[in-house]
Amino acid sequence: MIGSAASAGRYVLVCNPESRVSSDRVEAEFRRVAGFAVELIVRKTEPSTSISRLICDDVIPGTIVVAVGGDGTVSAVAAVLAGTDHLLGIVPGGSTNMVAKTNRVPGGVAAAVELIHGRHVIERIDVGRCADRVLLHLGGAGLDARLFSMSSQQLKKRLRWLAYGPPFAKALKEAPSRFEITIDGSCISLDSRLVLVANASSLIHPRFELMRSVSRIDGFFDVLVFTPDSWLEIARLSGHVMSMRLDTSEYAARFTGRHIVVQSTPPVPFELDGDVVGETPFEVVVEPAALSVICGPRAT
């Protein structure tokens, strides 16, 4: 749906203080674009306060809620808005910003604010509910969660996705785990270092996809299980990933469903949209078309 927020009179900006984008800068851009007739409410996230509690009194009909930060911040705000008619806007401020990229939100602060307040596309996307969190892009157990937990916050601010290089090499040395994955009641058992639960499959750039046809608007999530054992098999799998031919690799299995439970022996860490949440097991239930997102124009 094509839309414009130029007539909107109220924005709630949810800003992560650890973001590379300051709340003052975002507020200044909104004033430049929208003027002083609109109401701006700025809330800064705190580890001890949930997003729901932070903005519960601010989100009234007609309010547009803007997440300022990385994928974890966007997902935390989305968890509050999912299942409602409130619009989610995004000002990217993280290291990879894949949720923003997948929804065609520009990376610059000024351009992102202009998109939110100007002409844009509104799309209702699927979300995966996991306890009190939601999954918007990619979650996973094993290697990727270890990668995120070992990465330096300061390096991520400076180098963005390049900061994940050294931790990736270290995490790759961990032994595979035995995964028991239940998808819509059917159980799969495989040895793996990495299991991904995907609402979209882009990495680094929207056009660099792990697998084609993974969609955030089809009502289903995809489960990708990686099964290489030796370094030679890992190298072969890496070649398929880099050439975006993962669907032809014998070391990657793909399943699709709406109710996903991931268990492992031994337990391994898992992450949702880049935030390490805990250890397996975890459960994801898909809520189709649950979230309204302000997106950039579609490519022609």
Side-chain angles (χ1 to χ4, degrees), residues 133-251:
R133 294 173 174 261
V134 297
L135 175 60
L136 299 181
H137 184 69
L138 273 175
L143 187 148
D144 63 334
R146 291 190 176 103
L147 166 69
F148 292 137
S149 65
M150 290 188 292
S151 299
S152 163
Q153 187 69 32
Q154 294 303 315
L155 280 180
K156 286 196 291 183
K157 286 183 178 180
R158 289 170 48 199
L159 303 177
R160 300 196 185 181
W161 62 269
L162 290 175
Y164 295 120
F168 175 79
K170 185 177 181 180
L172 200 58
K173 296 178 182 179
E174 295 288 339
S177 297
R178 186 66 177 179
F179 280 92
E180 303 283 341
I181 307 167
T182 305
I183 304 172
D184 294 343
S186 298
C187 186
I188 304 125
S189 298
L190 289 167
D191 290 333
S192 176
R193 287 180 173 84
L194 173 62
V195 173
L196 293 179
V197 180
N199 193 24
S201 65
S202 300
L203 294 177
I204 303 172
H205 189 279
R207 293 182 182 177
F208 184 74
E209 295 182 298
L210 284 173
M211 281 193 175
R212 306 291 185 182
S213 74
V214 178
S215 172
R216 70 204 200 296
I217 57 173
D218 64 355
F220 296 89
F221 274 21
D222 290 80
V223 180
L224 310 178
V225 185
F226 299 85
T227 59
D229 187 21
S230 68
W231 285 103
L232 178 59
E233 291 175 354
I234 291 172
R236 288 176 176 171
L237 175 66
S238 299
H240 282 86
V241 171
M242 296 307 295
S243 60
M244 291 190 293
R245 294 184 295 110
L246 188 60
D247 54 342
T248 65
S249 174
E250 62 185 301
Y251 306 116

Side-chain angles (χ1 to χ4, degrees), residues 20-30 108-110:
R20 59 183 174 82
V21 176
S22 72
S23 58
D24 290 343
R25 183 181 176 192
V26 178
E27 186 174 3
E29 288 295 339
F30 265 99
V109 177

Side-chain angles (χ1 to χ4, degrees), residues 1-3 64-67 74-75 77-79 81-91 98-105 115-116 120-127 134-136 199 216-217 289-298:
M1 180 176 65
I2 303 296
I64 294 178
V65 183
V66 180
V74 176
S75 295
V77 176
L81 302 184
T84 75
D85 292 326
H86 293 294
L87 291 179
L88 171 67
I90 303 171
V91 176
M98 287 312 306
V99 175
K101 291 175 182 176
T102 303
N103 289 289
R104 306 180 299 280
V105 176
L115 174 70
I116 293 168
H120 51 244
V121 176
I122 298 172
E123 294 185 2
R124 288 197 71 90
I125 70 169
D126 307 328
V127 304
V134 297
L135 175 60
L136 299 181
N199 193 24
R216 70 204 200 296
I217 57 173
L291 182 66
S292 295
V293 184
I294 294 176
C295 304
R298 298 182 183 90

